[in-house]
Amino acid sequence: MRPLVPDDPRSIGGYRTLARIGAGGMGVVYLARTPGGTLAAVKVIRAQSAADPGYRARFRREAQAASRVTGAWAVPVLDADTEADEPWLATAFVPGPSLAETVQRQGPLPPEAVRTLGCRLSAALAALHEAGLIHRDVKPANVLLALDGPRLIDFGIARHQGATALTATDAVIGTPGYLAPEQASAGPLGPSCDVFSLGCVLVHAATGRRPFGDGTAAAVLFRTVHEEPDLTGLPAQLLPLVTACLSKDPAERPAAEHVTRQLTSDDNRWDLPGLRAAVAERSAAVLALPDPDPPTTVDTTGTSGTAGTSGTSGTPGTSGLSRRRLLTAGAVGGVLVAGGAAAWLSRRDTAGTATQRPVPTYTIGLHADLTGPGRTVGRAHQRGVRLAVDRHNSRKNKLFALALRTEDDGGDATRALSVADRLATADGLLAVIGPTGDVVPGAVVDRYEKADLAQVVVAAGSTTADRSATESLCVIRPSDSSLPTALIHYLAHVRRSARVVIVEDRATPDAAWAITNAIKDVPIEGTEVTVHTVPADTDTFAPVARAAVNDRAASVVYAGASPSRGARCARALRSAGFTGTGLATGPALAPGFLRDAEEAADGWVFAEPYADPAELPAARAFTTEHHRRFGTAPATWAAEAYDAVGLIAAAAGSTSASDDVRAGIAQRMLESDYQGITRRLSFYKTHQVRYETGLYLYRIDEGAPRFLGPYGSVS
């Protein structure tokens, strides 16, 4: 870092600049502080570059796309202004050394560290590629080493897929020695060019050399295009995969997600010699920086003062702590170093003057499937949790700050247990959210239970654990067995009819029994309920559909959990001339139901345990922020994951045991009555969540589910 020069701005879009991190031909990167106290790296594009309409348009598109990158090992974009005279983009600040610095100072990394490096960088690239971007400059200098793992930075020259490698002036974009052959020869670019660069980075990390040697840029580019890489000294276990990454033919290189899977193992550990000292050194350097001068204003008396001191004496005010006091605050926890980011938290003293004080930081673990078959739900959790943590940390006068540690199990049971082992033994972890799959393995629950680590499950419908033997498990999602309650309300208060037919599908006997008996056991005044059974060994629903029509049923309930068989039921009813309302519970509603039922799906009503935050007034701010940060509406379970953080934070703030806030936090959650953005969370004495506020109704309109609201409010 270097001090600010007189021409440097002191404020960029509300970010107060502290120092220069680096500078290049396209712009300057500043260390800055947000109004909430978090540190950020703010990259400002020079005016001459921004004057090019094509460059500005590309920067605008890329800043929007980069904000949607959510990989755990990619530094997140916090904010951007693409329309300013000098456009800028802010990312989280990581106080760790770069891979280039580390290798130059300490030599090659140990083989196990190289494997972990490759696993996590490829995961960052996979997230980038999913957002429709390619990085184009993956190199050791753009890899920062945080205490919990590497971070990929500098999306400033990231471009959309399909662009060519050269600029209008035929200048190569990228770094010779790490860029792909197609980047050097003006070929079409795609995600595979980043995979090639990743291979080069791994060679450098493992051997201390670049695979295509040193020398002039032209010589290195020539060897990259025409010669084979020098892989001498590369660990044998990495040789086949790195060789594939460095293929001259982009089509022969593996995808970034494939690289992640190949390098993921139980031995993915991140323990580099000297890293803690290097991070501490950089954090101390940040702490030693003077507070930025507050912007000068003119008060009502005409005397020069500082922002927020109008009406006081004309003496300029002080902002925050002195350097000595700030260093002392950092020593006792005022600087938050979690996931590679550092932050200071502020308060106001009794006189109303802005001061700073250290507050403790509690880490929440997220145990999610981010790369496997359940990655859509896992990433929804990740986004919701990130927004909740950021929202908590932006509050004034908070008692503590939150940090986030994310672990990906890829939807694999063996990896899930390994993730649980890592989180259960992690220092300073307050609670865990997840896993995010449909079923929580009992072995995972047992691992957290033995560690006395509170576990909050948001989306899973069941667990193989013995619930009666768990004290740290908190499931905030109503069970599937409670969903028929919402259907009963609909039949009794919304779609009243003299006759209701239940189609009991024996192919899913547990769900069939639960739905059928729930509706039969709650008599609806003036309604006759008839049950028709479909055997498990038949795929036809035509007979029961004709029977429902003959019974003159106004409503038909599909009692089953199979989306494909539910779709067959809907089609059969339509073919038989049924014009009433079809109803079912959430497990039967999936893309398969909508796809297979086609037009017959329209009008069906489903009971679900999750809300649509876009339709909830209490979740309006969350939905707006989700759109701003990620460029899309919240996916299913994102809002509930947001509420999970709020529940944990509320329980953490309800204890006087400041020395061990984690102790008993699960019990405090289970005894709480927490109002979230989606619902009120409270629990029965049996530790089951109260379902009354957690059941919702959806109706299929034009092939898509439309949120009707909490079941009790639908009329």
Side-chain angles (χ1 to χ4, degrees), residues 591-614:
F593 176 87
L594 299 176
R595 181 190 65 241
D596 296 344
E598 298 178 329
E599 293 86 356
D602 280 354
W604 274 66
V605 173
F606 285 85
E608 293 282 13
Y610 55 79
D612 180 357

Side-chain angles (χ1 to χ4, degrees), residues 304-616:
S304 177
T306 58
T309 60
S310 178
T312 64
S313 66
T315 305
T318 58
S319 174
L321 303 174
S322 68
R323 183 185 307 185
R324 179 179 179 83
R325 291 178 64 198
L326 185 59
L327 284 169
T328 304
V332 296
V335 57
L336 314 179
V337 183
W344 286 262
L345 303 172
S346 64
R347 64 173 174 85
R348 290 189 174 273
D349 61 21
T350 55
T353 304
T355 62
Q356 292 183 323
R357 62 177 174 86
V359 296
T361 303
Y362 304 142
T363 299
I364 293 176
L366 175 61
H367 181 160
D369 174 6
L370 301 177
T371 56
R375 59 183 175 274
T376 299
V377 172
R379 291 172 183 173
H381 277 67
Q382 185 182 44
R383 289 177 172 183
V385 168
R386 282 176 52 187
L387 290 179
V389 168
D390 291 348
R391 176 70 183 92
H392 175 91
N393 290 340
S394 70
R395 292 171 178 156
K396 295 180 179 178
N397 299 322
K398 66 185 73 63
L399 300 176
F400 54 86
L402 291 176
L404 177 63
R405 172 172 173 170
T406 302
E407 292 279 357
D408 176 21
D409 67 17
D412 179 79
T414 301
R415 287 178 59 186
L417 190 55
S418 297
V419 166
D421 284 334
R422 290 196 293 273
L423 291 176
T425 56
D427 292 334
L429 213 60
L430 181 64
V432 169
I433 296 174
T436 59
D438 293 334
V439 180
V440 179
V444 170
V445 175
D446 292 343
R447 187 67 186 88
Y448 290 131
E449 187 76 19
K450 290 177 181 177
D452 195 24
L453 181 60
Q455 180 187 5
V456 180
V457 172
V458 174
S462 62
T463 176
T464 58
D466 180 3
R467 288 293 301 273
S468 64
T470 63
E471 297 181 356
S472 61
L473 178 62
C474 179
V475 180
I476 66 172
R477 179 215 130 121
S479 66
D480 288 344
S481 63
S482 67
L483 294 175
T485 302
L487 301 185
I488 293 169
H489 172 88
Y490 191 87
L491 292 170
H493 301 285
V494 182
R495 180 64 173 175
R496 296 191 177 192
S497 57
R499 291 181 176 85
V500 172
V501 166
I502 299 176
V503 176
E504 187 177 28
D505 186 3
R506 293 290 177 81
T508 52
D510 291 344
W513 182 88
I515 297 169
T516 300
N517 284 275
I519 296 175
K520 287 175 61 180
D521 289 346
V522 182
I524 302 173
E525 185 177 356
T527 298
E528 178 185 340
V529 177
T530 304
V531 179
H532 294 292
T533 300
V534 178
D537 58 357
T538 181
D539 288 337
T540 178
F541 286 76
V544 296
R546 289 192 296 268
V549 173
N550 292 336
D551 289 343
R552 293 175 304 193
S555 300
V556 172
V557 178
Y558 169 70
S562 168
S564 60
R565 290 174 67 85
R568 292 191 188 101
C569 180
R571 291 201 313 270
L573 287 167
R574 185 182 182 93
S575 297
F578 176 69
T579 57
T581 301
L583 301 97
T585 58
L589 177 57
F593 176 87
L594 299 176
R595 181 190 65 241
D596 296 344
E598 298 178 329
E599 293 86 356
D602 280 354
W604 274 66
V605 173
F606 285 85
E608 293 282 13
Y610 55 79
D612 180 357
E615 300 296 330
L616 295 177

Side-chain angles (χ1 to χ4, degrees), residues 73 120 145-151 270 275 338-340 404-406:
W73 310 112
R120 296 179 178 179
L145 307 183
L147 291 178
D148 62 343
R151 295 296 193 282
W270 187 250
L275 180 58
L404 177 63
R405 172 172 173 170
T406 302

Side-chain angles (χ1 to χ4, degrees), residues 154-166:
D154 198 357
F155 302 142
I157 62 168
R159 297 184 67 176
H160 282 273
Q161 299 175 21
T164 58
L166 303 183

Side-chain angles (χ1 to χ4, degrees), residues 99 103 108-111 113-122 125 138-140 143 150 177-178 194-211 230-235 238-239 241-243 245-246 259-260 263 270:
L99 175 63
V103 172
L109 273 56
V114 177
R115 183 183 184 92
T116 302
L117 178 77
C119 177
R120 296 179 178 179
L121 289 182
S122 60
L125 288 174
V138 179
K139 60 184 179 181
V143 177
Y178 298 98
D194 286 343
V195 174
F196 186 96
S197 300
L198 174 63
C200 295
V201 168
L202 295 181
V203 173
H204 177 80
T207 68
R209 306 185 320 275
R210 295 190 294 182
D230 178 7
L231 303 182
T232 305
L234 190 69
L238 295 175
L239 187 58
L241 184 60
V242 172
T243 300
C245 291
L246 295 178
V259 176
T260 304
L263 294 178
W270 187 250

